[in-house]
Amino acid sequence: MKRKNILSRMSYAALGLITHPQDPREFIQVFNPLSSSHYTRGVVTEVHHETPDSATITFTAGEGWASHKAGQWARIGVSVNGRRLWRPYSISAAEDTAPSVTVKARGRVSEALVYGTKPGDILYLERPAGQFLLEISPTALLFLTAGSGITPVMSMLRTLMPRRPDHDVVLIHSSANQESTIFHDEILELADQFPGFKPRFHFTKSLGRLTLREAGQLAALHPDILERTIYACGPDEFVGDIEAAVQEADGNIVVERFDTRLLPSDYSGPGTLVINNGTEITVPENQSILEASENAGTELPHGCRSGVCRSCLVMMSDGAVKNMRTGEMIDEPGMIQSCISRPSPHAILEL
Amino acid sequence: MTQTLPASSPIQLTPQQLDALEEKFDAIHDEILAQRGEEDARYIRRVVKLQRSLEMLGRGSLLFAKHKPLWLLGVGSLSVSKILENMEIGHNVLHGQWDWMNDKEIHSTTWEWDFVTPSSGWQRTHNESHHVWTNVVGRDEDVGYNLLRMDDSQPWKPKHLLNPVMNAILAPGFEWGIAMYDIELNRFMTGQKSKKDTLRDVKRTLKKFGRQSAKDFVLSPALASLNGSGVAAIKGFVAANIIRNLWAHAVIFCGHFPDGVEVFSEEDIENETRGGWYVRQVLGSANIDGSKLMHFMTGNLSLQIEHHLFPDMPSNRLSEVAPRVRKICQEYGLPYNSGPLPVQILKTWRKVFRLALP
C-alpha cells in the first residue's frame, strides 16, 4: 500500500513537469471522473429508494477515501443549483463493503441527494470520521434509535450480526409509522436470519413519543437494559434524555448526536464573529466583517473595500453571512468576501 | 482627443442622474447574480473540459511534430487551448466570477494559470489596481504598463519615440511583459512597495518562469526528440505561445486603448460615488463587436464595458446584459465605444504611433 503511494506520488510529480501549473490529476479527470487534486471524488453506482422520501446512495470513492468503520459518518458535497453544499451523513453500509449513505429528504442537500441523484453522478467526499463505534467485547447490546438515527446502527447491525451471530442484540427504534421507517423490512429479515437479534418498533403516530428522562422509564422499556451496552442515536433531545437517564443509573452508553449547526437566518441586527484563535467580535449593524475586525484590532487581508478585487477572501468554516450589497445569504462553509459580508447572525472564520 | 472627467468632459450628469444610473446598473448586476445556477456551472465545467482535451491533443501531437500535419494540429490546438485557459477560464476565474460555486477546483484562491506571471501578483495589479482605479493615471498602471505612452496626459519623454517598437516587441512576448509588470519594480523604486514584498514577487515569478519555460521549451521537446521530433516540437511550442500572446495582446489593448476611451486624473475621482465609478468604467473601456465564437475566444473580454461594470459576473452572462447596458448608456448620453476587431486594433495602433510624438 505504501509503496503504491510513493510510486503514484512520483509519477504525478514527473507528469506535473509537463502539466504545470495544473496537477496531472486535473487532466486525468477528463477520462476518469474520480481523479482530482482538490477533493476526494466519488461516483454514484446505485440509488435505492427506501421510503418515498429517503434513499440509499451507494458510491465508489477515489483517492483519499479510507474504508469506514460501522457507525461512522462522512461529509458529502453535492452541487445544488450550481453551488457546492456539504452535509455530514451516517454511512449505512456494512464494514468492508461499498460505502453507502441513507438520506432522508430534509433540507436542500438531502433533497438533491434523494430526488436528484442518479448512477454516474459525482459526489465530493471527506474521509469517514466519528467515534460512534462498535466495541468488540460485550455481547449484550441495546440500540436505541429515533428517525434517521437508525442509519449508523444499520451499518453496525449489518456488520455485527453475520460476524458474531452469538450476540444478544436488542433494537428499539422510534419513528412516525411503518411506511416512514427506513430499513423496516430489512430489519425484520435480519431478525429472521439471526435469532440473537430482537428488534422492536415504536411508532409515535399510534403510541406517542418515547420519553426516557428517568431511570425508571428505562427499566420499563426493557428489563435488563442496564446490563447491556447501550448505543443511542437520533435527534439531540432524544439522545440527551437517554444519556442523562443511563448515567444517572450508572449504565454504559455510547451516543451519537445529530450535528447541531449554528442556525443561519436572514438577519440584520448585531452579529457575532468568531475567529479560530478564539477571538469573538461583535459586528454592529451596518458594519462589515472587515471593518468590525479592524475596530477590534484583528487585521484581515483586504484590498479595495468595495467588493471588486476579492483580496479579502477568508475561509468561513461554519455559520452564515449576508452579502451587504446584494442581500445574498451564504450559509455553507467556503470563502467569503469580508469587506461586503456580515454575520447572519453567527460566522466562524478560519485564518 | 481623449478627455477627462469632470472638468473637460462633455458628459455632465447631475448627482440625481448618477444615483439613478447606479440603481439601474446595480439592478442588472443583482438580477443576474441571483440567477446564477446549475446551467452556468455546467458551462464553465464544459469549457474547462474542452480546454484540457485540446491541451492534451496539442501537446500529444507536438510530440510527433516532425510530421507536418501533426505539427499543424499540435500548434492549432495548443494555441486555442492556451487562449481559452488564459482568457475565458484563467482571467475570469481569477476575478472570482466562479467563486459562488464554492468549488476549489474552479476558484480564485486556488487557480494557477498557464501564463508566466503568477496568479497572485496578477490578481493584485489587475483586480485591485486596474479594476478599482480603472484608467486613473497614477493609480492604474495598466495605462501603458509603464512601458508605453498611451494617453496625452502622460508627459512625453524621448524614449516614447520607441512607442511603436516597444509595442511590437510587447505583443509576441505579452506574457513576459505582464510578468515583469506585475513585479511592480516602479512601485519598489518609489518606495510604495517594500523590499520584502518585491523580493517575494521576483522569486515567485522566476520560479513560475522557470517551470513554464522548462515545460514548453525543454522537457516536452526532449520527449519529442525520442522520435526525432525535437526541433520541430520546439518550433511548435514557440509558435503556440506566440500566437496566444499576439491574440491576448490584441484583445487586451482593444479593451482600453482605442481612440475615444477616456483617462482620468486623481482629482477627477475625488468624492466619486458608486454611480460615478460606473460612469468611469463605461468611459474607460471599449468593446469588440463580433460573433459568439469571437466573444468565446476573447474570454468575453470583447464585452469589456460590461466586464468592467460587473467584474464578478460570470463571463457567459455578459453578452446577455450588453443590450441593456447599451440602452442605459444611450439614455444618459454615455458613449458606448464598440467596433469590429480590425477597426479597434487599427485605432489602438494609431494611438501608439501618434503618442510617440509630443
Side-chain angles (χ1 to χ4, degrees):
Chain A
M1 196 65 185
K2 240 192 184 142
R3 175 172 293 169
K4 198 186 146 204
N5 274 340
I6 293 168
L7 273 178
S8 74
R9 224 181 301 156
M10 275 169 59
S11 47
Y12 285 142
L15 260 176
L17 294 172
I18 304 286
T19 62
H20 177 82
Q22 290 285 347
D23 189 281
R25 282 168 280 195
E26 313 315 334
F27 285 91
I28 297 169
Q29 194 177 83
V30 173
F31 313 105
N32 175 9
L34 289 179
S35 174
S36 167
S37 67
H38 294 284
Y39 293 105
T40 295
R41 282 176 158 228
V43 174
V44 174
T45 52
E46 199 192 330
V47 179
H48 173 73
H49 282 266
E50 302 285 349
T51 63
D53 67 345
S54 68
T56 294
I57 291 152
T58 311
F59 54 91
T60 308
E63 210 180 310
W65 180 258
S67 9
H68 67 277
K69 293 192 191 117
Q72 286 193 308
W73 51 269
R75 269 160 57 83
I76 294 193
V78 287
S79 215
V80 178
N81 199 20
R83 189 174 158 79
R84 176 78 32 76
L85 305 179
W86 293 83
R87 287 282 179 276
Y89 290 103
S90 298
I91 298 172
S92 52
E95 276 178 27
D96 303 321
T97 63
S100 70
V101 290
T102 303
V103 179
K104 201 160 182 123
R106 283 218 192 104
R108 287 176 298 173
V109 182
S110 302
E111 280 165 22
L113 278 167
V114 172
Y115 304 122
T117 309
K118 53 186 189 311
D121 284 359
I122 302 296
L123 299 176
Y124 296 79
L125 309 167
E126 281 178 10
R127 277 168 190 256
Q131 293 306 310
F132 189 59
L133 300 171
L134 274 178
E135 285 171 49
I136 304 300
S137 40
T139 51
L141 305 173
L142 184 130
F143 293 101
L144 260 169
T145 57
S148 310
I150 186 68
T151 46
V153 167
M154 201 60 206
S155 171
M156 290 178 165
L157 294 172
R158 283 165 168 170
T159 305
L160 186 71
M161 295 320 296
R163 226 180 256 177
R164 293 284 303 272
D166 59 320
H167 269 59
D168 171 12
V169 176
V170 175
L171 164 72
I172 301 174
H173 177 56
S174 163
S175 56
N177 53 27
Q178 187 178 325
E179 293 72 49
S180 71
T181 303
I182 309 172
F183 307 125
H184 180 268
D185 295 352
E186 191 181 338
I187 288 168
L188 294 181
E189 277 164 34
L190 262 181
D192 278 349
Q193 213 178 334
F194 302 101
F197 173 52
K198 285 152 275 179
R200 210 168 88 202
F201 294 101
H202 178 97
F203 297 129
T204 53
K205 275 211 171 137
S206 46
L207 298 172
R209 267 189 66 183
L210 190 60
T211 38
L212 297 165
R213 286 209 188 97
E214 294 148 27
Q217 288 170 315
L218 284 177
L221 192 67
H222 197 81
D224 65 350
I225 189 163
L226 290 169
E227 279 134 54
R228 293 169 179 268
T229 296
I230 302 170
Y231 286 84
C233 181
D236 218 5
E237 200 186 340
F238 173 84
V239 173
D241 285 352
I242 296 170
E243 190 177 28
V246 173
Q247 275 165 357
E248 191 194 315
D250 274 339
N252 185 7
I253 185 164
V254 184
V255 299
E256 175 91 320
R257 286 187 167 81
F258 286 168
D259 181 38
T260 43
R261 297 161 48 85
L262 300 170
L263 285 182
S265 63
D266 198 343
Y267 173 84
S268 57
T272 312
L273 181 70
V274 182
I275 296 175
N276 58 345
N277 64 14
T279 316
E280 196 172 313
I281 296 167
T282 303
V283 183
E285 209 169 342
N286 300 324
Q287 251 187 39
S288 69
I289 287 175
L290 178 62
E291 289 167 304
S293 333
E294 283 175 341
N295 291 343
T298 303
E299 282 289 324
L300 296 181
H302 66 272
C304 69
R305 295 175 172 274
S306 57
V308 176
C309 79
R310 293 194 170 250
S311 306
C312 66
L313 286 176
V314 282
M315 182 68 190
M316 174 178 76
S317 57
D318 207 343
V321 293
K322 187 173 177 178
N323 184 318
M324 296 162 80
R325 279 210 39 234
T326 61
E328 185 195 5
M329 288 276 298
I330 296 180
D331 56 3
E332 281 292 324
M335 306 300 279
I336 57 144
Q337 286 179 277
S338 74
C339 79
I340 50 164
S341 302
R342 57 184 327 285
S344 187
H346 309 277
I348 297 180
L349 300 187
E350 297 287 328
L351 298 188
Chain B
M1 289 293 282
T2 51
Q3 284 134 345
T4 55
L5 264 185
S8 57
S9 170
I11 298 120
Q12 290 296 342
L13 298 177
T14 63
Q16 289 77 12
Q17 281 176 310
L18 277 179
D19 286 349
L21 190 95
E22 172 181 328
E23 226 167 84
K24 285 185 182 177
F25 281 136
D26 274 349
I28 295 179
H29 174 264
D30 297 352
E31 179 191 322
I32 299 293
L33 259 55
Q35 282 173 8
R36 291 173 308 195
E38 198 60 51
E39 247 177 70
D40 302 86
R42 200 176 304 132
Y43 169 79
I44 190 65
R45 291 216 176 86
R46 280 170 63 188
V47 176
V48 168
K49 199 167 179 179
L50 170 70
Q51 184 275 324
R52 286 181 184 153
S53 309
L54 281 172
E55 182 167 345
M56 284 189 279
L57 177 67
R59 290 184 185 279
S61 306
L62 283 178
L63 291 182
F64 306 92
K66 67 175 175 187
H67 308 286
K68 196 82 193 177
L70 286 177
W71 189 87
L72 285 170
L73 179 67
V75 171
S77 21
L78 191 60
S79 306
V80 173
S81 105
K82 278 182 181 274
I83 285 169
L84 291 180
E85 202 278 344
N86 290 169
M87 305 180 96
E88 181 64 342
I89 304 170
H91 171 271
N92 296 332
V93 167
L94 293 178
H95 256 294
Q97 290 177 14
W98 302 99
D99 285 2
W100 61 274
M101 286 163 60
N102 197 22
D103 185 347
K104 279 191 272 181
E105 289 177 355
I106 304 177
H107 201 281
S108 67
T109 54
T110 53
W111 196 269
E112 188 57 61
W113 56 353
D114 185 12
F115 210 58
V116 173
T117 192
S119 292
S120 55
W122 181 84
Q123 278 175 307
R124 190 184 54 248
T125 60
H126 184 83
N127 292 7
E128 202 174 322
S129 304
H130 173 56
H131 270 271
V132 178
W133 307 107
T134 312
N135 287 22
V136 176
V137 175
R139 300 219 58 165
D140 174 12
E141 314 272 2
D142 275 27
V143 184
Y145 302 103
N146 305 316
L147 191 66
L148 305 170
R149 182 169 177 244
M150 291 309 293
D151 192 78
D152 289 314
S153 63
Q154 295 168 309
W156 184 84
K157 292 175 195 156
K159 70 167 186 183
H160 291 134
L161 284 171
L162 291 175
N163 234 17
V165 180
M166 293 307 280
N167 199 28
I169 296 173
L170 178 64
F174 192 57
E175 61 174 320
W176 293 285
I178 295 292
M180 294 270 295
Y181 166 72
D182 285 346
I183 295 173
E184 304 174 301
L185 277 179
N186 61 313
R187 291 189 64 215
F188 169 63
M189 298 297 201
T190 57
Q192 291 165 279
K193 186 167 175 171
S194 72
K195 193 174 163 186
K196 192 176 140 229
D197 288 354
T198 311
L199 213 66
R200 177 203 62 200
D201 288 351
V202 169
K203 274 190 200 153
R204 273 189 200 160
T205 306
L206 282 178
K207 191 175 167 198
K208 185 97 190 277
F209 170 80
R211 293 204 64 176
Q212 288 287 102
S213 310
K215 163 179 76 165
D216 279 2
F217 307 132
V218 182
L219 297 170
S220 300
L223 270 182
S225 68
L226 295 179
N227 68 65
S229 294
V231 175
I234 290 186
K235 287 183 186 162
F237 278 103
V238 171
N241 275 287
I242 288 181
I243 291 170
R244 178 266 312 274
N245 285 342
L246 288 174
W247 177 249
H249 175 270
V251 171
I252 305 306
F253 269 57
C254 289
H256 296 289
F257 301 140
D259 276 340
V261 168
E262 305 213 24
V263 162
F264 309 87
S265 70
E266 296 206 45
E267 295 88 71
D268 288 339
I269 56 159
E270 270 172 38
N271 307 319
E272 183 179 63
T273 60
R274 189 168 167 77
W277 183 84
Y278 274 135
V279 170
R280 180 156 56 84
Q281 303 309 318
V282 173
L283 299 182
S285 311
N287 280 9
I288 305 168
D289 296 335
S291 61
K292 260 189 176 165
L293 181 66
M294 160 76 119
H295 293 321
F296 183 60
M297 290 306 292
T298 63
N300 281 290
L301 292 174
S302 43
L303 297 152
Q304 189 78 230
I305 298 174
E306 287 72 19
H307 168 57
H308 259 270
L309 288 169
F310 315 119
D312 59 349
M313 186 180 288
S315 54
N316 60 321
R317 297 296 197 119
L318 294 179
S319 54
E320 170 186 343
V321 301
R324 294 166 68 182
V325 169
R326 202 185 268 254
K327 218 178 128 211
I328 295 174
C329 290
Q330 244 165 21
E331 201 180 317
Y332 288 88
L334 300 178
Y336 187 93
N337 194 333
S338 188
L341 184 66
V343 174
Q344 298 295 71
I345 290 181
L346 204 74
K347 280 185 177 174
T348 304
W349 275 92
R350 198 169 62 191
K351 192 187 260 184
V352 169
F353 272 92
R354 203 186 58 223
L355 292 173
L357 300 173

